[in-house]
């Protein structure tokens, strides 16, 4: 670090900031100069970081220091997330604050508040088109409400996660408005083209995100006489991170939001943030440079904040976003391929591919923390390992077709309900939408008033959660899944939503169901209490820390998955039957007696019979 800079920071009253910037300055500068070669913009960034540090609330700073001294804090076995849209869950931010008791009842200590920043109704992409990064949507409340909520959450030990949608802004963002009026300074914050020449070149190599609902990666702006790059919807304008002004300003927004008491920043659509002609514009090296800078900036200003990367890609593309041990990037990433492979397993009753997928994840360094989930607010894309499936004679296109037919409930022994998403007539590709409960048969059984089918559906819901909790990482529930909420078809009556079938599984929380959670004569009570038992086991058994050893065990039974976990002298084996028939797992763990944690029965993990859609959590006796 240069002497004069050292002196400047030394004059600072706050030694904590000084220490941190001293530690990280050289690397940050190096990365910044590599991308931008602009030392005055870098100096501005450092000055502003200091300002954000100084304005950061004392309580948040105390928490930062605590977390700095316990860097593994988020790997604990009690970590359990829940995601929801604020209006769907409780009307507005104040409503969420008044429902924190329910969140605690769910054993949840991390809530992901889905996008709540200002956006234009009808052109919002579920809030992922932000028009003002410093304003809360009026219908949801104010920044003060947010600060009050984060403080209330912290008092209860609940972490708060929010989206940082950094790839694009809404076309109604003030930058976009100025760009549209021809202001060159603002046009350079986006990708503007006065002819289709360059866009056409991009289109040769850049795939499409929304092939049917928003085809193409560019939008013609009649009034401006320009094309603008729009990877997602036409009203979501891609930001140009070649421009250091964009990077700096977005980092200031990031720090501003962190200072409102946010614990986890979900970096939306992160692989897309750097564009380069003749590439796919995904996962380019510069993206990693930027994420690493974000990590350093947060380590300096707000080290208690975690970065969660949204990388919906195949495993080889996902893991690099953790960075390296010396140069970490994201703290957490979604376990997306495992999620999709789970549903493949539900449809095929064959755990082979899932076992392989888990083996890949389990072979990664234990420092990596994955977020596990059965579904989220987005569609399920069938990003499976088709290389492996192909060796069993299963072709990609026909298999995707099968999965989509299966989950729409059109084939064979399927009890699922749901809808396709972005069915592309050219590639034959389509993704899938539905709630966990609907995909497991709760909707169909309820409609048909078929008690036996309902019993089976509830068992499947519980088995899938039990299996998800056993994976290495942190589980995240989608709000409503804990009471078996089914698809919401009312989005079809809303002109702002009808074109986007993801709203099928984004229905409002049904509080009538939540009123029955104590009543195990109801479906919702059975699911809620079943999950509750699993959650309690998870937080009392230390083998569920995210950095425990986790591995799979061959069961010699096509439909039964076996996962082992070991930590600090303790061992648990989980068995999960993905079939509607009773099965036997031909495992042979000869190291003594085990106790099954749900029933309390003593068991030996040797040739274990498991009922249809059942599971066991077996803990080795001391
Ligand atoms: C992310 C969000 C998705 C949104 C997209 C564009 O993938 O999860 O809902 O459509 O980003 O911002």
């Amino acid at each position: 670090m240069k002497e004069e800079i050292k002196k400047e920071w030394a004059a600072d009253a706050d030694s904590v900031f000084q220490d941190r910037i001293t530690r990280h300055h050289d690397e940050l500068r190096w990365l910044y100069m590599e991308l931008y070669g602009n030392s005055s913009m870098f100096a501005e960034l450092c000055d502003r970081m200091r300002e954000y540090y100084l304005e950061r609330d004392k309580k948040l700073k105390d928490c930062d220091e605590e977390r700095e001294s316990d860097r593994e804090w988020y790997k604990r076995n009690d970590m359990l997330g829940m995601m929801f849209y604020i209006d769907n869950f409780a009307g507005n931010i104040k409503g969420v604050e008044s429902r924190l008791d329910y969140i605690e009842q769910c054993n949840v200590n991390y809530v992901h508040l889905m996008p709540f920043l200002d956006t234009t109704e009808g052109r919002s992409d579920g809030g992922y088109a932000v028009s003002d990064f410093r304003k809360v949507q009026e219908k949801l409340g104010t920044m003060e409400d947010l600060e009050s909520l984060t403080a209330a959450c912290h008092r209860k030990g609940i972490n708060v996660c929010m989206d940082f949608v950094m790839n694009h802004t809404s076309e109604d963002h003030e930058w976009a408005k100025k760009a549209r009026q021809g202001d060159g300074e603002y046009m350079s914050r986006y990708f503007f083209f006065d002819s289709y020449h360059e866009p056409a070149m991009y289109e040769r190599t850049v795939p499409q995100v929304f092939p049917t609902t928003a085809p193409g990666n560019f939008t013609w702006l009649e009034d401006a006489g320009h094309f603008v790059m729009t990877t997602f919807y036409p009203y979501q304008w891609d930001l140009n991170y070649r421009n250091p002004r964009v990077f700096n300003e977005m980092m200031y927004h990031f720090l501003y939001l962190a200072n409102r008491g946010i614990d986890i920043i979900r970096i939306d659509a992160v692989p897309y943030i750097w564009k380069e002609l003749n590439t796919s514009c995904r996962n380019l090296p510069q993206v990693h440079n930027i994420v690493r800078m974000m990590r350093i900036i947060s380590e300096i200003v707000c080290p208690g904040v975690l970065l969660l990367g949204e990388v919906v890609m195949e495993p080889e593309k996902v893991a690099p976003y953790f960075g390296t041990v010396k140069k970490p990037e994201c703290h957490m990433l979604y376990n997306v391929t495992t999620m999709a492979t789970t549903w493949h397993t539900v449809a095929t009753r064959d755990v082979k591919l899932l076992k392989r997928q888990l083996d890949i994840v389990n072979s990664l360094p234990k420092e990596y923390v994955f977020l596990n989930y059965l579904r989220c607010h987005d569609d399920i894309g069938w990003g499976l390992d088709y290389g492996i499936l192909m060796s069993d004679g299963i072709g990609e296109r026909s298999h995707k077709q099968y999965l989509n037919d299966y989950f729409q409930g059109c084939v064979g022994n399927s009890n699922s309900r749901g809808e396709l998403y972005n069915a592309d007539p050219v590639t034959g590709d389509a993704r899938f939408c539905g709630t966990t409960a609907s995909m497991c048969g709760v909707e169909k059984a309820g409609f048909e008033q078929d008690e036996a089918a309902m019993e089976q559906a509830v068992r499947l819901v519980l088995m899938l959660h039990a299996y998800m909790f056993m994976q290495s990482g942190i589980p995240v529930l989608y709000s409503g899944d804990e009471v078996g909420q089914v698809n919401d078809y009312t989005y079809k009556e809303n002109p702002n939503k009808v074109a986007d079938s993801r709203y099928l599984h984004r229905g409002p929380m049904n509080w009538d169901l939540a009123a029955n959670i104590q009543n195990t004569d109801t479906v919702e009570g059975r699911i809620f209490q079943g999950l509750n038992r699993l959650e309690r086991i998870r937080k009392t058994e230390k083998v569920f820390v995210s950095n425990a050893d986790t591995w799979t065990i061959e069961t010699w039974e096509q439909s039964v998955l076996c996962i082992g976990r070991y930590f600090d002298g303790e061992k648990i084996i989980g068995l999960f039957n993905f079939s509607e028939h009773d099965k036997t797992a031909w495992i042979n763990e000869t190291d003594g007696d085990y106790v099954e944690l749900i029933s309390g029965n003593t068991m030996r993990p040797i040739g274990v019979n498991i009922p249809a859609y059942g599971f066991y959590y077996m803990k080795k006796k001391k």
Side-chain angles (χ1 to χ4, degrees):
M1 185 171 181
K2 293 221 182 72
E3 269 319 300
E4 67 271 23
I5 301 170
K6 231 185 228 165
K7 244 182 273 153
E8 193 186 311
W9 299 124
D12 201 306
D14 205 305
S15 64
V16 176
F17 183 78
Q18 259 179 54
D19 285 353
R20 293 194 194 132
I21 197 148
T22 309
R23 217 176 314 135
H24 293 292
H25 175 275
D26 289 357
E27 189 193 349
L28 183 59
R29 185 181 161 84
W30 192 87
L31 291 166
Y32 194 94
M33 293 312 266
E34 190 184 44
L35 272 196
Y36 300 122
N38 187 328
S39 48
S40 63
M41 287 294 287
F42 178 70
E44 179 197 290
L45 176 68
C46 293
D47 283 346
R48 295 294 297 272
M49 279 161 54
R50 180 167 166 273
E51 280 169 34
Y52 282 105
Y53 171 79
L54 291 175
E55 76 147 57
R56 193 163 167 79
D57 185 86
K58 168 88 171 64
K59 283 207 181 89
L60 297 177
K61 284 184 180 168
D62 291 347
C63 174
D64 287 336
E65 286 182 39
E66 236 171 72
R67 290 176 177 180
E68 264 186 317
S69 60
D70 174 20
R71 292 199 167 264
E72 310 265 278
W73 68 271
Y74 59 99
K75 300 181 181 175
R76 294 190 317 245
N77 48 321
D78 66 345
M79 281 296 271
L80 177 64
M82 178 179 274
M83 60 190 296
F84 51 76
Y85 276 98
I86 291 169
D87 51 351
N88 280 342
F89 183 70
N92 56 27
I93 296 179
K94 286 206 169 84
V96 175
E97 196 173 328
S98 70
R99 295 278 191 190
L100 291 184
D101 289 347
Y102 178 73
I103 288 168
E104 279 187 311
Q105 261 183 299
C106 295
N107 299 301
V108 163
N109 58 3
Y110 139 27
V111 288
H112 175 184
L113 308 172
M114 300 298 292
F116 54 77
L117 294 176
D118 213 17
T119 184
T120 308
E121 197 78 35
R123 280 182 283 126
S124 77
D125 184 23
Y128 285 97
V130 177
S131 56
D132 187 339
F133 289 93
R134 301 196 180 207
K135 183 168 181 262
V136 172
Q137 289 168 37
E138 259 160 40
K139 66 172 188 190
L140 301 178
T142 62
M143 272 300 167
E144 289 69 46
D145 294 346
L146 178 70
E147 286 183 64
S148 157
L149 173 63
T150 56
C153 284
H154 294 160
R155 286 194 292 276
K156 287 180 176 289
I158 299 172
N159 298 287
V160 182
C161 170
M162 78 173 284
D163 288 85
F164 185 54
V165 187
M166 67 183 290
N167 176 68
H168 43 261
T169 73
S170 154
E171 63 177 347
D172 298 311
H173 188 279
E174 62 161 317
W175 297 356
K177 286 188 188 156
K178 289 185 178 154
R180 194 167 207 146
Q181 285 157 7
D183 184 330
E185 146 93 37
Y186 290 91
M187 287 168 84
S188 70
R189 297 187 186 191
Y190 299 93
F191 295 89
F192 270 74
F193 304 97
D194 57 8
S195 84
Y196 196 62
H197 178 70
E198 246 185 273
M201 285 172 31
Y202 274 106
E203 291 291 13
R204 275 187 225 143
T205 53
V206 183
Q208 305 201 35
V209 180
F210 299 141
T212 24
T213 51
N217 289 291
F218 296 87
T219 299
W220 169 248
L221 306 173
E222 188 64 49
D223 49 344
H226 275 80
F227 287 93
V228 65
M229 184 182 266
T230 53
T231 303
F232 294 86
Y233 281 112
Y235 51 78
Q236 288 166 307
W237 293 9
D238 289 73
L239 284 168
N240 179 5
Y241 278 89
R242 281 168 195 274
N243 181 342
R245 179 50 64 204
V246 168
F247 176 78
N248 279 29
E249 293 296 330
M250 292 305 283
M251 289 307 103
Y252 308 153
H253 289 323
F254 159 54
L255 295 175
Y256 169 83
L257 294 166
N259 278 358
R260 309 282 73 76
I262 300 297
D263 303 274
I264 304 169
I265 295 272
R266 174 186 181 274
I267 322 175
D268 181 60
V270 61
Y272 300 80
I273 60 179
W274 193 273
K275 278 83 179 178
E276 196 88 54
L277 258 185
N278 301 318
T279 71
S280 66
C281 296
R282 310 278 194 269
N283 308 302
L284 298 179
Q286 293 86 346
V287 174
H288 290 280
N289 182 328
I290 288 176
V291 179
R292 175 68 190 141
M293 285 199 281
M294 277 182 84
R295 173 71 180 253
I296 298 175
I297 291 168
S298 66
E299 296 281 356
I300 296 171
V301 181
C302 47
V305 171
L306 302 177
L307 299 181
L308 161 62
E310 192 225 0
V311 185
V312 181
M313 304 265 159
E314 53 274 41
E316 328 61 279
K317 306 270 171 52
V318 175
Y321 285 87
F322 283 117
T324 61
V325 176
K326 283 233 167 91
K327 296 188 190 312
E329 295 178 21
C330 293
H331 297 83
M332 307 188 291
L333 295 168
Y334 290 94
N335 203 347
V336 55
T337 305
T338 301
M339 182 276 292
T341 311
T342 300
W343 291 107
H344 151 93
T345 312
V346 170
T348 58
R349 279 81 162 160
D350 185 346
V351 302
K352 182 173 161 193
L353 191 68
L354 184 56
K355 181 176 183 309
R356 281 197 67 122
Q357 167 59 23
L358 294 175
D359 290 343
I360 294 174
V361 175
N362 294 335
S363 67
L364 294 170
K366 280 187 285 182
E367 290 72 41
Y368 293 0
V369 177
F370 280 102
L371 285 200
N372 298 307
Y373 60 118
L374 293 172
R375 62 105 172 187
C376 66
H377 66 297
D378 280 329
D379 47 291
I380 299 173
W382 302 118
L384 308 174
D385 189 336
Y386 290 99
I388 300 285
L389 287 173
M390 211 71 88
S391 62
D392 283 343
I394 298 174
E396 176 166 346
R397 191 164 173 160
S398 59
H399 191 57
K400 283 182 176 168
Q401 173 84 50
Y402 172 74
L403 293 172
N404 283 323
D405 288 347
Y406 181 89
F407 286 109
Q408 287 178 93
C410 321
V411 290
N413 44 3
S414 165
N415 294 316
S416 170
R417 289 291 178 266
E419 294 179 350
L420 298 187
Y421 181 69
N422 268 277
D424 184 343
V426 180
T427 59
D429 211 2
R431 285 117 73 178
F432 190 79
C433 299
T435 70
T436 302
S438 284
M439 292 177 76
C440 288
V442 171
E443 182 180 333
K444 180 172 183 268
F447 187 74
E448 294 172 355
Q449 300 198 348
D450 180 337
E451 289 221 1
M454 185 62 91
E455 167 66 24
Q456 205 181 59
V458 169
R459 292 178 66 85
L460 178 55
V461 168
L462 292 176
M463 185 280 285
L464 288 179
H465 282 91
Y467 139 77
M468 197 236 310
F469 288 179
M470 208 24 123
Q471 288 171 36
S472 168
I474 299 172
V476 181
L477 306 170
Y478 194 93
S479 152
D481 279 6
E482 78 283 7
V483 287
Q485 211 166 302
V486 298
N487 293 336
D488 172 29
Y489 296 89
T490 61
Y491 81 96
K492 292 178 195 287
E493 290 146 30
N494 184 334
N496 290 336
K497 296 183 175 170
V498 61
D500 196 326
S501 51
R502 289 176 297 178
Y503 287 104
L504 181 70
H505 54 236
R506 295 177 183 170
M509 171 72 189
N510 184 341
W511 289 102
D512 291 343
L513 296 181
N516 294 334
I517 54 178
Q518 304 300 344
N519 181 356
T520 47
D521 290 337
T522 63
V523 170
E524 49 276 20
R526 259 141 72 205
I527 294 180
F528 190 92
Q529 294 304 332
L531 291 184
N532 199 269
R533 203 176 313 148
L534 295 170
E535 289 151 2
R536 284 170 182 279
I537 291 175
R538 201 172 175 278
K539 63 180 176 184
T540 44
E541 297 294 338
K542 61 184 175 189
V543 290
F544 288 103
V545 294
S546 93
N547 43 354
D549 286 332
T550 311
W551 68 99
T552 65
I553 298 166
E554 181 54 70
T555 65
W556 306 105
E557 162 48 58
Q558 187 173 291
S559 302
V560 180
L561 180 76
C562 184
I563 301 177
R565 290 185 74 110
Y566 176 89
F567 187 77
D568 196 18
E570 299 200 349
K571 179 178 169 192
I572 286 192
I573 289 178
L575 281 172
F576 309 95
N577 182 355
F578 280 77
S579 148
E580 67 275 54
H581 302 292
D582 299 356
K583 296 283 173 186
T584 302
W586 299 105
I587 54 171
N588 192 23
E589 302 281 301
T590 50
D591 54 355
D593 279 343
Y594 283 62
V595 57
E596 205 283 314
L597 294 174
I598 309 279
S599 61
N601 294 339
T602 295
M603 287 178 96
R604 287 213 151 186
I606 299 172
V608 182
N609 299 320
I610 319 166
Y613 290 142
F615 67 90
Y616 291 129
Y617 271 4
M618 296 182 288
K619 182 179 180 186
K620 191 174 168 325
K621 285 192 180 173
K622 285 256 154 104

